[in-house]
Amino acid sequence: MAEAALIPPGWRGRWLQRVAALLAGASLTAAFAPHDLWWLAVLSPAVLLMLWRWAPDPREGAWLGWLFGIGLYASGTWWLYISIRVIGQAPIPVALLVMAALVLLMAAYQAGLGYLVVRWLLPRSVGGVLLTIPAAWVIIEWWRGWFLSGFPWLSLGYSQTDTWLAGLAPVGGVHLISFVLIMGGGALVTLLCHGSFWRPLALVALLLPWTAGLALRNVAWTAERGAPLSVAILQGAIPQELKWLESNQQKILDEYAALHESALDAKLIVWPESALPDLANYYSSYLGGVWSSARRHGSSVLMGVMRAEARGRGEEPIAFNSLLALDGEEPAFYDKRHLVPFGEYFPVPQFVRDWLRLMNLPHLDFVPGRADQPPMKLAGETVAVSICYEDAYPQQLRSAMAQSSLLATVTNDAWFGRSGARYQHLQIARMLALESRRYLLRAANDGVSAIVAPDGQVTGSAPEFKPAVLRGMVQPRTGMTAYLRFGDWPILGASALIILGFTLRLLKNRQSTSIKKH
């Protein structure tokens, strides 16, 4: 009776619940950086679980999940407007259409989950909220980060880089943390809605993961390799609207040359994504000067560049978003594997591409690099590298990270303006350091350039929106965390087994009921 009294009757009650779902999703954004209200990652899903508990039918469960997703992604990715309209200068209708399409697509995953929860996963049961729904949530979250190129941004576990749960990252990665957060929300629902018999179990489900995370935070997982390494990260702070102007090219080259000269006391110098204002093919003399000065001072350079490769006669060259390693006798390239749809390539017919292409993008679509690219050799270390939001795909980087002693990622978050997206992106990179238990160097065009320790903490950062050289010392490390060894497969496999076991039990119960009726 007490629970029923919480549910307003009639259509008004239904719309109040839908508004509550929308607000719960919107509030979840504050669990992530820069707000860092991490406890909302338990409370907001708990509200959604309660609303699913009250849903009268699967259709309403889908509505509630859809509105929750709209609230989350509209509030958590609003900065796309800056990228598409303010910087990209796309027409307002196009910018709004692209934003709405992404939000609605991401919300559709939550809608599907809501339908499944109310239809089959028993949101009124203890087993449902503590096991089957968390398992389904993780599978949907993983699928969202993979299907149609994927968009893993705002995966729930990223919100916990500064909590005890960060200790679970080397064990099972971001999806394991997502699982225990949803289980924690289910524990809150159990404490509120079920009798005293279930409350001890709910408390264990709520508190045990946090205790385990605290205990595991001090586990080293990896070992020191050799002596500490001096590093320097260059931040040119080039405004995005000026980056591709021909009249500004020499100023950009001079700015980075000056930063590079001031950083030559470091063994490893890292430049941000697409630091040069055009294809690297046009700057052989400039690059030769950078390499010569680095050699004289015993430095190695990792530089974000765009480059083109010729194909057959009469064919248009292909372009890559790359990292250039200047070390040893020969330069080496890493080509970005996971490209951004509608940003780095247009998966549309040519006539649509001509209409959509933004005025300040490179004149060629990028093509993805090979999937089997090895780590890069720099300053005597093996460095696992990534470009832009590739750091949100640790499963793809896992093999390279396992072979590496250091991580480096480069990005150009100037596309996000002064929004919170750059801090969300830094949080994703911090999780990568946690999952691998290695130092991570992050070079961003205008911030946040940072040095991240193996425990995920930022040990140094450059001032944002200003030209700067960030210097520091990092300790190379080797060894395998459980996540590097097994990846996402243990938590995905466990989640699939939970769903399979529940499904078989449900079918068995229905069969028994059918036999009794006959």
Side-chain angles (χ1 to χ4, degrees), residues 164-215:
W164 293 353
L165 290 183
L168 300 179
V171 178
V174 67
H175 295 308
L176 173 61
I177 300 175
S178 295
F179 183 97
V180 301
L181 288 169
I182 300 301
M183 186 171 67
L188 293 180
V189 173
T190 301
L191 290 171
L192 183 63
C193 299
H194 291 270
S196 58
F197 177 81
W198 293 108
R199 286 175 183 165
L201 177 62
L203 285 172
V204 170
L206 180 62
L207 300 177
L208 182 60
W210 295 83
T211 306
L214 176 62

Side-chain angles (χ1 to χ4, degrees), residues 43-376:
L43 184 59
S44 295
V47 172
L48 180 61
L49 292 175
M50 183 66 79
L51 294 171
W52 277 336
R53 179 183 178 88
W54 292 337
D57 53 58
R59 182 178 178 182
E60 184 62 20
W63 268 105
L64 294 169
W66 190 64
L67 290 166
F68 182 90
I70 287 176
L72 172 60
Y73 290 100
S75 63
T77 63
W78 67 269
W79 38 263
L80 283 171
Y81 187 82
I82 298 174
S83 304
I84 300 169
R85 168 59 184 166
V86 178
I87 296 175
Q89 299 184 17
I92 292 177
V94 172
L96 295 177
L97 179 63
V98 173
M99 289 175 62
L102 177 67
V103 170
L104 294 177
L105 176 61
M106 295 300 104
Y109 291 105
Q110 294 298 118
L113 178 61
Y115 185 93
L116 293 174
V117 165
V118 178
R119 177 68 177 84
W120 284 296
L121 300 183
L122 302 181
R124 291 177 174 268
S125 72
V126 173
V129 295
L130 294 184
L131 285 177
T132 56
I133 297 175
W137 186 294
V138 163
I139 291 173
I140 293 294
E141 184 178 85
W142 168 79
W143 180 260
R144 172 171 62 82
W146 173 81
F147 185 60
L148 296 178
S149 179
F151 190 71
W153 212 278
L154 298 178
S155 291
L156 198 59
Y158 284 125
S159 64
Q160 304 301 304
T161 49
D162 291 301
T163 74
W164 293 353
L165 290 183
L168 300 179
V171 178
V174 67
H175 295 308
L176 173 61
I177 300 175
S178 295
F179 183 97
V180 301
L181 288 169
I182 300 301
M183 186 171 67
L188 293 180
V189 173
T190 301
L191 290 171
L192 183 63
C193 299
H194 291 270
S196 58
F197 177 81
W198 293 108
R199 286 175 183 165
L201 177 62
L203 285 172
V204 170
L206 180 62
L207 300 177
L208 182 60
W210 295 83
T211 306
L214 176 62
L216 289 169
R217 287 200 74 169
N218 294 324
V219 176
W221 293 101
T222 55
E224 295 182 359
R225 176 192 179 278
L229 182 73
S230 60
V231 298
I233 296 171
L234 309 190
Q235 179 176 289
I238 310 300
Q240 192 64 25
E241 61 271 17
L242 302 178
K243 188 172 181 62
W244 308 116
L245 296 180
E246 186 174 353
S247 60
N248 206 46
Q249 288 189 0
Q250 191 59 49
K251 182 180 178 181
I252 294 173
L253 295 173
D254 292 344
E255 178 70 48
Y256 272 109
L259 293 173
H260 175 74
E261 285 297 322
S262 69
L264 287 171
D265 56 333
K267 290 296 184 183
L268 176 58
I269 303 171
V270 185
W271 298 37
E273 180 184 13
S274 58
L276 303 183
D278 207 330
L279 295 173
N281 306 60
Y282 304 143
Y283 297 113
S284 57
S285 177
Y286 181 87
L287 291 172
V290 169
W291 197 357
S292 295
S293 63
R295 275 180 165 176
R296 287 196 303 270
H297 290 81
S299 300
S300 299
V301 179
L302 181 64
M303 177 190 299
V305 298
M306 302 172 295
R307 68 186 186 97
E309 282 188 2
R311 292 193 287 185
R313 179 177 297 180
E315 292 187 82
E316 190 178 42
I318 56 175
F320 297 93
N321 186 359
S322 303
L323 277 165
L324 168 61
L326 301 177
D327 184 273
E329 297 301 320
E330 294 291 335
F333 288 100
Y334 166 83
D335 300 319
K336 187 177 181 183
R337 295 179 290 171
H338 206 116
L339 302 178
V340 181
F342 300 101
E344 294 173 312
Y345 73 101
F346 293 90
V348 294
Q350 184 63 44
F351 74 93
V352 180
R353 182 183 294 112
D354 293 340
W355 178 64
L356 285 176
R357 188 184 304 276
L358 308 179
M359 63 178 294
N360 63 345
L361 288 177
H363 63 283
L364 294 174
D365 284 356
F366 292 124
V367 297
R370 302 190 327 272
D372 60 347
Q373 296 175 84
M376 308 193 89

